[in-house]
């Protein structure tokens, strides 16, 4: 009998159960989607080996890259990097006879800095329902000032207790993950809005942060906007 596993909606590996050579029948890949790799940084690839019951198996997992656009730092730990700033590359996991599907990783310029590209203090007049866009960008130093697209800038209201239920980002809530466009700024403008029927705090502080694929903090994280609400 031949048994294959369908995990996370993707066929990731299969093994012949009659061989008795390995209890591993599938590999569950745990890679962020979309996944990006930056120069001088690493992306950690993760996977779980599963038995026929879908339980984890303590079995070694090895990785390989199939394209020269990627550099495999360690096949056993699954860390990859690149020397390029654009393109893509494929990776694959293996545990004994079980081989995963190919996964494509995208390449982007290195996230060297998170910068404010507009004023750090914004005034919301009594007649306005939302602030002007909170402008910031993730930029690369090679070439200087180049925007890093398809990265995430996290906007988070610092004054949570004072602001809860009284202001919100356009998507709702006091925390927003904004995907960057070609300039490195959010592809959709980020604004802070009044909640109708409430009295806003006089000032609301919004903190910015960003991370590289490795999880390392992008320099410039921690900067803040000050949003002033007129009564």
């Amino acid at each position: 009998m031949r048994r294959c596993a369908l995990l996370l909606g993707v066929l990731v590996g299969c093994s012949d159960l009659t061989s008795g050579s390995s209890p591993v029948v599938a590999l569950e890949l745990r890679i962020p989607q979309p996944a990006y790799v930056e120069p001088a940084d690493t992306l950690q690839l993760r996977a779980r080996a599963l038995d026929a019951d879908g339980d984890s198996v303590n079995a070694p997992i090895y990785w390989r890259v199939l394209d020269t656009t990627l550099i495999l730092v360690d096949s056993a730990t699954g860390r990859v990097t690149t020397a390029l700033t654009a393109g893509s590359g494929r990776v694959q996991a293996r545990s004994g006879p079980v081989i995963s599907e190919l996964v494509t990783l995208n390449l982007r310029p290195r996230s060297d800095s998170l910068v404010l590209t507009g004023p750090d203090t914004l005034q919301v007049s009594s007649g306005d329902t939302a602030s002007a866009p909170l402008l910031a960008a993730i930029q690369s130093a090679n070439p200087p000032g180049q925007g890093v697209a398809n990265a995430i800038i996290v906007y988070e209201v610092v004054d949570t207790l004072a602001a809860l239920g009284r202001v919100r980002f356009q998507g709702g809530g006091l925390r927003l993950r904004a995907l960057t466009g070609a300039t490195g700024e959010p592809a959709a403008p980020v604004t802070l809005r009044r909640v109708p029927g409430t009295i806003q705090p006089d000032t609301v502080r919004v903190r910015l942060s960003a991370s590289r694929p490795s999880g390392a903090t992008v320099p410039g994280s921690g900067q803040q906007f000050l949003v002033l609400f007129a009564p």
Side-chain angles (χ1 to χ4, degrees):
M1 178 177 66
R2 188 168 179 82
R3 168 75 175 267
C4 296
L6 188 66
L7 298 171
L8 302 179
V10 178
L11 183 66
V12 296
C14 56
S15 177
D16 188 348
L17 296 184
T18 61
S19 66
S21 60
S22 172
V24 178
V25 300
L27 295 174
E28 179 184 29
L29 303 186
R30 296 183 167 185
I31 299 173
Q33 291 297 328
Y36 282 87
V37 186
E38 297 181 357
D41 190 61
T42 58
L43 176 66
Q44 178 69 62
L45 306 175
R46 302 185 189 278
R48 280 201 311 156
L50 303 177
D51 63 16
D53 296 321
D55 296 324
S56 295
V57 176
N58 186 17
I61 298 174
Y62 298 96
W63 296 85
R64 67 168 181 157
V65 299
L66 287 84
D67 302 287
T68 58
T69 51
L70 294 173
I71 301 169
L72 186 62
V73 178
D74 191 318
S75 64
T77 61
R79 288 190 300 128
V80 295
T81 188
T82 186
L84 305 178
T85 60
S88 64
R90 296 166 298 165
V91 297
Q92 191 174 49
R94 174 182 62 82
S95 182
V98 180
I99 301 174
S100 78
E101 291 286 298
L102 296 176
V103 175
T104 298
L105 307 179
N106 298 301
L107 314 182
R108 71 185 185 204
R110 177 178 166 88
S111 300
D112 288 311
S113 60
L114 175 60
V115 300
L116 303 186
T117 55
D120 62 1
T121 301
L122 300 93
Q123 176 78 51
V124 184
S125 68
S126 56
D128 292 333
T129 59
S131 71
L134 308 180
L135 297 176
I138 298 177
Q139 296 181 346
S140 176
N142 185 24
Q146 177 184 5
V148 178
N150 299 302
I152 297 292
I153 301 177
V154 177
Y155 289 74
E156 190 167 11
V157 172
V158 177
D159 321 271
T160 304
L161 293 179
L164 186 62
R166 302 165 71 184
V167 299
R168 62 177 177 82
F169 290 112
Q170 63 269 33
L174 300 179
R175 190 174 188 271
L176 177 68
R177 290 169 52 85
L179 180 69
T180 61
T183 64
E185 295 179 325
V190 176
T191 60
L192 193 64
R193 310 181 68 86
R194 300 176 185 268
V195 173
T198 66
I199 299 175
Q200 285 67 47
D202 293 336
T203 62
V204 177
R205 292 175 295 146
V206 178
R207 181 173 57 216
L208 301 181
S209 62
S211 300
R212 294 176 176 138
S214 64
T217 299
V218 176
S221 294
Q223 296 182 81
Q224 297 184 8
F225 289 100
L226 185 64
V227 183
L228 309 176
F229 284 92

